[in-house]
Coordinates of all heavy atoms in Angstrom, one line a residue:
M1 N 0.9 -1.2 0.0 CA 0.0 0.0 0.0 C 0.9 1.2 0.0 O 1.8 1.4 0.7 CB -0.9 0.0 1.3 CG -1.9 1.1 1.2 SD -3.2 0.9 0.0 CE -4.3 -0.3 0.8
F2 N 0.5 2.2 -0.9 CA 1.2 3.4 -0.9 C 0.3 4.5 -0.4 O -0.9 4.4 -0.5 CB 1.7 3.8 -2.3 CG 2.6 2.7 -3.0 CD1 2.1 2.2 -4.2 CD2 3.8 2.4 -2.4 CE1 2.8 1.2 -4.7 CE2 4.5 1.5 -3.0 CZ 4.1 0.9 -4.3
I3 N 0.9 5.5 0.2 CA 0.1 6.7 0.7 C 0.7 7.9 0.0 O 1.9 8.2 0.1 CB 0.2 6.8 2.2 CG1 -0.4 5.6 2.9 CG2 -0.6 8.1 2.6 CD1 -0.3 5.6 4.3
C4 N -0.2 8.6 -0.7 CA 0.3 9.9 -1.4 C 1.0 10.8 -0.3 O 0.3 11.1 0.7 CB -0.8 10.6 -2.1 SG -0.4 12.1 -2.9
R5 N 2.2 11.3 -0.6 CA 2.9 12.1 0.3 C 2.5 13.5 0.3 O 2.8 14.4 1.1 CB 4.3 12.0 0.2 CG 4.8 12.6 -1.2 CD 6.3 12.5 -1.2 NE 6.8 13.0 -2.5 CZ 6.9 14.4 -2.8 NH1 6.6 15.2 -1.8 NH2 7.3 14.8 -3.9
N6 N 1.6 13.9 -0.6 CA 0.9 15.2 -0.6 C 0.0 15.2 0.5 O -1.0 14.6 0.5 CB 0.2 15.4 -1.9 CG -0.5 16.8 -1.9 OD1 -0.4 17.5 -0.9 ND2 -1.1 17.0 -3.1
Q7 N 0.3 16.0 1.6 CA -0.4 15.9 2.8 C -1.9 16.3 2.7 O -2.8 15.9 3.4 CB 0.2 16.8 3.9 CG 1.5 16.1 4.4 CD 2.1 16.8 5.6 OE1 1.7 17.9 5.9 NE2 3.0 16.1 6.4
S8 N -2.2 17.2 1.7 CA -3.6 17.6 1.5 C -4.4 16.6 0.7 O -5.6 16.6 0.6 CB -3.7 18.9 0.8 OG -3.1 18.9 -0.4
C9 N -3.7 15.6 0.2 CA -4.3 14.5 -0.5 C -4.3 13.2 0.4 O -5.4 12.8 0.9 CB -3.6 14.2 -1.8 SG -4.1 12.8 -2.7
G10 N -3.2 12.6 0.6 CA -3.0 11.5 1.5 C -3.8 10.2 1.0 O -4.1 9.4 1.9
A11 N -4.1 10.2 -0.3 CA -4.9 9.0 -0.7 C -4.0 7.7 -0.7 O -2.8 7.8 -0.7 CB -5.3 9.2 -2.2
E12 N -4.7 6.6 -0.4 CA -4.0 5.3 -0.4 C -4.2 4.7 -1.7 O -5.2 4.6 -2.3 CB -4.5 4.5 0.8 CG -4.3 5.1 2.1 CD -4.7 4.2 3.3 OE1 -5.2 3.1 2.9 OE2 -4.6 4.7 4.3
W13 N -3.1 4.0 -2.1 CA -3.2 3.2 -3.4 C -2.5 1.9 -3.3 O -1.5 1.7 -2.6 CB -2.4 4.1 -4.5 CG -2.9 5.5 -4.6 CD1 -2.2 6.6 -4.2 CD2 -4.1 5.9 -5.1 NE1 -3.0 7.7 -4.4 CE2 -4.2 7.3 -5.1 CE3 -5.2 5.3 -5.8 CZ2 -5.2 8.1 -5.5 CZ3 -6.3 6.0 -6.3 CH2 -6.3 7.4 -6.1
A14 N -3.0 1.0 -4.0 CA -2.4 -0.3 -4.1 C -1.5 -0.3 -5.3 O -1.6 0.6 -6.2 CB -3.5 -1.5 -4.3
L15 N -0.6 -1.2 -5.4 CA 0.3 -1.2 -6.6 C -0.4 -1.2 -7.9 O 0.0 -0.7 -8.9 CB 1.3 -2.4 -6.4 CG 2.3 -2.6 -7.5 CD1 3.3 -1.3 -7.6 CD2 3.1 -3.9 -7.2
S16 N -1.5 -1.9 -7.9 CA -2.3 -2.1 -9.1 C -3.0 -0.8 -9.5 O -3.5 -0.7 -10.6 CB -3.3 -3.2 -8.9 OG -4.2 -3.0 -7.8
D17 N -3.0 0.2 -8.6 CA -3.8 1.4 -9.0 C -2.8 2.5 -9.6 O -3.3 3.4 -10.2 CB -4.2 2.1 -7.6 CG -5.2 1.3 -6.9 OD1 -6.1 0.6 -7.7 OD2 -5.3 1.3 -5.7
V18 N -1.5 2.2 -9.5 CA -0.6 3.2 -10.0 C 0.3 2.7 -11.1 O 0.4 1.5 -11.3 CB 0.2 3.8 -8.8 CG1 -0.6 4.4 -7.7 CG2 1.1 2.6 -8.2
V19 N 0.9 3.6 -11.7 CA 2.0 3.2 -12.8 C 3.3 3.7 -12.3 O 3.5 4.9 -12.1 CB 1.6 4.0 -14.1 CG1 2.6 3.6 -15.2 CG2 0.2 3.5 -14.6
I20 N 4.2 2.8 -12.1 CA 5.5 3.1 -11.6 C 6.4 3.3 -12.9 O 6.4 2.4 -13.8 CB 6.0 2.0 -10.7 CG1 5.2 2.1 -9.4 CG2 7.6 2.2 -10.5 CD1 5.6 1.1 -8.4
K21 N 7.0 4.4 -12.9 CA 8.0 4.6 -14.1 C 9.1 5.4 -13.6 O 9.2 6.0 -12.5 CB 7.2 5.4 -15.2 CG 6.6 6.7 -14.7 CD 5.7 7.3 -15.7 CE 4.9 8.5 -15.1 NZ 4.1 9.1 -16.0
N22 N 10.1 5.6 -14.5 CA 11.3 6.3 -14.2 C 11.4 7.6 -15.1 O 11.4 7.5 -16.3 CB 12.6 5.5 -14.4 CG 13.9 6.1 -13.9 OD1 13.9 7.3 -13.7 ND2 14.8 5.3 -13.6
E23 N 11.2 8.8 -14.3 CA 11.2 10.0 -15.1 C 12.6 10.7 -15.1 O 12.8 11.9 -15.4 CB 10.2 11.0 -14.5 CG 8.7 10.5 -14.7 CD 7.7 11.5 -14.4 OE1 8.1 12.5 -13.7 OE2 6.5 11.3 -14.6
G24 N 13.6 9.9 -14.8 CA 15.0 10.4 -14.7 C 15.6 10.6 -13.4 O 16.8 10.6 -13.2
Q25 N 14.8 10.7 -12.3 CA 15.4 10.8 -11.0 C 15.0 9.7 -10.2 O 15.0 9.7 -9.0 CB 14.8 12.1 -10.3 CG 15.4 13.4 -10.9 CD 14.1 14.2 -11.6 OE1 13.1 13.9 -11.4 NE2 14.6 15.1 -12.5
G26 N 14.8 8.5 -10.8 CA 14.5 7.4 -10.0 C 13.0 6.9 -10.3 O 12.2 7.7 -10.9
L27 N 12.7 5.8 -9.7 CA 11.4 5.3 -9.9 C 10.3 6.0 -9.1 O 10.6 6.5 -7.9 CB 11.3 3.8 -9.4 CG 12.1 2.9 -10.4 CD1 12.2 1.5 -9.8 CD2 11.4 2.8 -11.7
L28 N 9.2 6.3 -9.7 CA 8.1 7.0 -9.0 C 6.8 6.6 -9.6 O 6.7 6.1 -10.6 CB 8.3 8.5 -9.0 CG 8.4 9.2 -10.4 CD1 7.0 9.4 -11.0 CD2 9.2 10.4 -10.4
F29 N 5.7 7.0 -8.9 CA 4.4 6.9 -9.4 C 3.7 8.3 -9.2 O 4.1 8.9 -8.2 CB 3.6 5.9 -8.8 CG 3.1 5.9 -7.4 CD1 2.0 6.6 -7.1 CD2 3.8 5.5 -6.4 CE1 1.6 6.8 -5.8 CE2 3.4 5.6 -5.1 CZ 2.3 6.3 -4.8
R30 N 2.9 8.7 -10.1 CA 2.1 9.8 -10.0 C 0.8 9.5 -9.3 O 0.1 8.6 -9.7 CB 1.9 10.4 -11.3 CG 3.1 10.9 -12.0 CD 3.2 12.3 -11.9 NE 4.2 12.8 -12.7 CZ 4.5 14.2 -12.8 NH1 3.9 15.0 -12.1 NH2 5.5 14.6 -13.7
C31 N 0.5 10.2 -8.2 CA -0.8 10.0 -7.5 C -2.0 10.2 -8.5 O -2.0 11.2 -9.2 CB -0.9 11.0 -6.4 SG -2.5 10.8 -5.5
P32 N -2.8 9.2 -8.7 CA -3.9 9.3 -9.6 C -4.9 10.4 -9.3 O -5.6 10.9 -10.1 CB -4.6 8.0 -9.6 CG -3.6 7.0 -9.1 CD -2.7 7.8 -8.1
M33 N -4.9 10.8 -8.0 CA -5.8 11.9 -7.6 C -5.2 13.2 -7.8 O -5.9 14.1 -8.3 CB -6.2 11.6 -6.1 CG -7.3 12.4 -5.6 SD -8.7 11.3 -5.2 CE -8.2 10.8 -3.6
C34 N -4.0 13.5 -7.2 CA -3.5 14.9 -7.3 C -2.3 15.0 -8.2 O -1.8 16.2 -8.4 CB -3.2 15.3 -5.8 SG -1.7 14.5 -5.2
G35 N -1.7 14.0 -8.6 CA -0.5 14.0 -9.6 C 0.7 14.2 -8.9 O 1.8 14.4 -9.6
A36 N 0.8 14.1 -7.6 CA 2.0 14.4 -6.9 C 3.0 13.2 -7.2 O 2.5 12.0 -7.4 CB 1.9 14.4 -5.4
R37 N 4.2 13.5 -7.2 CA 5.3 12.4 -7.4 C 5.5 11.7 -6.1 O 5.8 12.3 -5.1 CB 6.6 13.0 -7.9 CG 6.6 13.6 -9.4 CD 8.0 14.0 -9.7 NE 8.1 14.5 -11.1 CZ 7.9 15.7 -11.4 NH1 7.6 16.6 -10.6 NH2 8.1 16.0 -12.7
N38 N 5.5 10.4 -6.2 CA 5.8 9.7 -5.0 C 6.9 8.6 -5.4 O 6.7 7.8 -6.3 CB 4.5 8.9 -4.5 CG 3.6 9.8 -4.0 OD1 3.6 10.0 -2.7 ND2 2.6 10.3 -4.8
Y39 N 8.1 8.8 -4.8 CA 9.1 7.9 -5.1 C 9.1 6.6 -4.5 O 8.6 6.4 -3.3 CB 10.5 8.7 -4.8 CG 10.8 9.7 -5.8 CD1 10.3 11.0 -5.5 CD2 11.5 9.5 -6.9 CE1 10.5 12.1 -6.4 CE2 11.7 10.6 -7.8 CZ 11.2 11.8 -7.6 OH 11.5 12.9 -8.4
V40 N 9.5 5.6 -5.2 CA 9.5 4.2 -4.7 C 10.9 3.6 -5.0 O 11.7 4.1 -5.9 CB 8.4 3.4 -5.4 CG1 7.1 4.0 -5.1 CG2 8.6 3.3 -6.9
E41 N 11.1 2.6 -4.3 CA 12.3 1.7 -4.4 C 11.9 0.4 -4.9 O 11.0 -0.3 -4.3 CB 13.1 1.7 -3.1 CG 14.5 1.2 -3.2 CD 15.2 1.3 -1.9 OE1 14.5 1.4 -0.8 OE2 16.4 1.4 -1.9
R42 N 12.6 -0.2 -5.8 CA 12.3 -1.5 -6.4 C 13.1 -2.6 -5.6 O 14.3 -2.4 -5.4 CB 12.6 -1.6 -7.9 CG 12.4 -3.0 -8.4 CD 12.6 -3.0 -9.9 NE 12.8 -4.4 -10.3 CZ 12.4 -4.8 -11.6 NH1 11.9 -4.0 -12.4 NH2 12.6 -6.0 -11.9
H43 N 12.5 -3.6 -5.2 CA 13.1 -4.7 -4.6 C 12.9 -6.0 -5.4 O 11.7 -6.3 -5.7 CB 12.6 -4.9 -3.1 CG 12.9 -3.9 -2.3 ND1 14.1 -3.6 -1.7 CD2 12.1 -2.9 -1.7 CE1 14.1 -2.5 -0.9 NE2 12.9 -2.0 -1.0
D44 N 13.9 -6.7 -5.7 CA 13.8 -8.0 -6.4 C 14.2 -9.1 -5.4 O 15.3 -9.2 -4.8 CB 14.8 -8.1 -7.6 CG 14.4 -7.1 -8.7 OD1 13.6 -7.5 -9.7 OD2 14.8 -6.0 -8.6
S45 N 13.2 -10.0 -5.1 CA 13.5 -11.1 -4.3 C 14.3 -12.1 -4.9 O 14.2 -12.2 -6.2 CB 12.3 -11.6 -3.7 OG 11.6 -12.5 -4.7
P46 N 15.0 -13.0 -4.2 CA 15.8 -14.1 -4.8 C 14.8 -15.0 -5.7 O 15.3 -15.7 -6.5 CB 16.4 -14.9 -3.6 CG 16.4 -13.8 -2.5 CD 15.1 -13.0 -2.8
E47 N 13.5 -15.0 -5.4 CA 12.6 -15.9 -6.1 C 12.1 -15.1 -7.4 O 11.3 -15.7 -8.1 CB 11.4 -16.2 -5.3 CG 11.7 -17.1 -4.1 CD 12.3 -16.3 -2.9 OE1 12.0 -15.2 -2.7 OE2 13.2 -16.9 -2.2
G48 N 12.6 -13.9 -7.6 CA 12.3 -13.3 -8.9 C 11.0 -12.4 -8.6 O 10.5 -12.0 -9.7
E49 N 10.6 -12.3 -7.5 CA 9.4 -11.4 -7.3 C 9.8 -10.0 -7.2 O 10.8 -9.6 -6.5 CB 8.6 -11.8 -6.0 CG 7.7 -13.0 -6.2 CD 7.1 -13.4 -4.8 OE1 6.6 -12.4 -4.1 OE2 7.1 -14.5 -4.5
V50 N 9.1 -9.1 -7.7 CA 9.4 -7.7 -7.8 C 8.4 -7.0 -6.8 O 7.2 -7.1 -6.9 CB 9.3 -7.1 -9.2 CG1 9.6 -5.6 -9.0 CG2 10.3 -7.7 -10.1
S51 N 9.0 -6.2 -5.9 CA 8.0 -5.4 -5.1 C 8.6 -4.0 -5.0 O 9.7 -3.8 -5.3 CB 7.9 -6.0 -3.6 OG 9.2 -6.0 -3.0
Y52 N 7.7 -3.1 -4.6 CA 8.1 -1.7 -4.5 C 7.8 -1.2 -3.1 O 6.7 -1.4 -2.6 CB 7.3 -0.9 -5.5 CG 7.6 -1.2 -6.9 CD1 6.9 -2.2 -7.7 CD2 8.7 -0.7 -7.5 CE1 7.2 -2.5 -9.0 CE2 9.1 -1.0 -8.9 CZ 8.3 -1.9 -9.6 OH 8.7 -2.2 -10.9
E53 N 8.7 -0.4 -2.6 CA 8.6 0.3 -1.3 C 8.6 1.8 -1.5 O 9.5 2.2 -2.2 CB 9.7 -0.2 -0.4 CG 9.6 0.3 1.0 CD 10.9 0.0 1.8 OE1 11.8 -0.7 1.2 OE2 10.9 0.4 3.0
Q54 N 7.6 2.4 -0.9 CA 7.6 3.8 -1.0 C 8.7 4.5 -0.2 O 9.0 4.1 0.9 CB 6.3 4.4 -0.5 CG 6.1 5.8 -0.9 CD 4.6 6.2 -0.6 OE1 3.8 5.5 -0.3 NE2 4.4 7.6 -0.8
I55 N 9.4 5.5 -0.8 CA 10.4 6.2 -0.1 C 9.8 7.4 0.6 O 9.1 8.2 0.0 CB 11.5 6.7 -1.1 CG1 12.1 5.5 -1.9 CG2 12.5 7.5 -0.5 CD1 13.0 5.8 -3.0
A56 N 10.1 7.5 1.9 CA 9.4 8.5 2.6 C 10.1 9.8 2.6 O 9.5 10.9 2.9 CB 9.4 8.1 4.1
D57 N 11.3 9.9 2.1 CA 12.0 11.2 2.0 C 11.2 12.2 1.1 O 10.7 11.9 0.1 CB 13.4 11.0 1.3 CG 14.3 10.4 2.2 OD1 13.9 10.2 3.4 OD2 15.4 10.0 1.7
I58 N 11.2 13.5 1.6 CA 10.5 14.5 0.8 C 11.4 14.9 -0.3 O 12.6 15.0 -0.2 CB 10.3 15.7 1.7 CG1 9.5 15.4 3.0 CG2 9.6 16.8 0.8 CD1 8.1 14.9 2.6
D59 N 10.8 15.0 -1.5 CA 11.5 15.4 -2.6 C 12.0 16.8 -2.5 O 11.2 17.7 -2.3 CB 10.6 15.3 -3.9 CG 11.2 15.8 -5.1 OD1 12.4 16.1 -5.2 OD2 10.5 15.8 -6.2
P60 N 13.3 17.0 -2.6 CA 13.8 18.4 -2.3 C 13.4 19.4 -3.3 O 13.3 20.6 -3.0 CB 15.4 18.2 -2.4 CG 15.7 16.8 -2.7 CD 14.4 16.0 -2.8
K61 N 13.0 18.9 -4.5 CA 12.6 19.9 -5.6 C 11.3 20.5 -5.2 O 11.0 21.7 -5.7 CB 12.4 19.1 -6.8 CG 13.9 18.7 -7.4 CD 13.7 18.2 -8.8 CE 12.9 16.9 -8.9 NZ 13.4 15.8 -8.0
T62 N 10.5 20.0 -4.3 CA 9.2 20.5 -4.0 C 9.3 21.3 -2.7 O 8.3 21.8 -2.2 CB 8.1 19.5 -3.9 OG1 8.5 18.6 -2.8 CG2 8.1 18.6 -5.2
K63 N 10.5 21.4 -2.0 CA 10.6 22.1 -0.7 C 11.0 23.5 -0.9 O 11.5 24.1 0.1 CB 11.6 21.3 0.1 CG 11.0 20.2 0.9 CD 12.1 19.6 1.8 CE 12.0 20.1 3.2 NZ 13.0 19.5 4.1
R64 N 10.8 24.1 -2.1 CA 11.2 25.5 -2.2 C 10.4 26.5 -1.4 O 9.1 26.2 -1.2 CB 11.1 25.9 -3.7 CG 12.3 25.4 -4.5 CD 12.2 25.8 -5.9 NE 11.3 24.8 -6.6 CZ 11.3 24.6 -7.9 NH1 12.1 25.2 -8.7 NH2 10.5 23.6 -8.4
Ligands
LIG1 ZN1 -2.3 12.6 -4.1

C-alpha cells in the first residue's frame, strides 16, 4: 500500500492502482488523484518477485 505524500491528498493506493515509471530521478508513481510524485524503491527477491517500497523522503525539488 502506498500513501500519497501530498499531505492535503493522502490517498492510499495499491500497486495495481498506480503506474511506476522512471522520469529520470528514480522510480516513482504519480498519484492518480492529485498528480504528486511519489518515489519508490524496487526490490527484487531471490525468487524473482518484484516489489516496490515507497520512499518517505521529501523530494527536495518541491521544498522550495
Ligand atoms: Zn495525491
Side-chain angles (χ1 to χ4, degrees):
M1 187 69 82
F2 303 120
I3 299 175
C4 178
R5 66 178 179 77
N6 178 359
Q7 287 188 345
S8 62
C9 174
E12 296 185 2
W13 306 105
L15 180 58
S16 57
D17 294 328
V18 298
V19 178
I20 292 180
K21 57 189 171 179
N22 190 336
E23 294 188 351
Q25 289 112 14
L27 292 171
L28 60 84
F29 70 88
R30 295 260 192 179
C31 175
M33 194 113 81
C34 73
R37 289 184 178 89
N38 289 273
Y39 286 87
V40 298
E41 192 173 24
R42 175 177 166 148
H43 296 286
D44 291 271
S45 79
E47 293 79 33
E49 279 177 44
V50 177
S51 60
Y52 293 94
E53 181 185 2
Q54 190 167 357
I55 299 171
D57 289 348
I58 302 298
D59 176 4
K61 290 187 296 302
T62 64
K63 270 182 100 178
R64 278 178 280 203

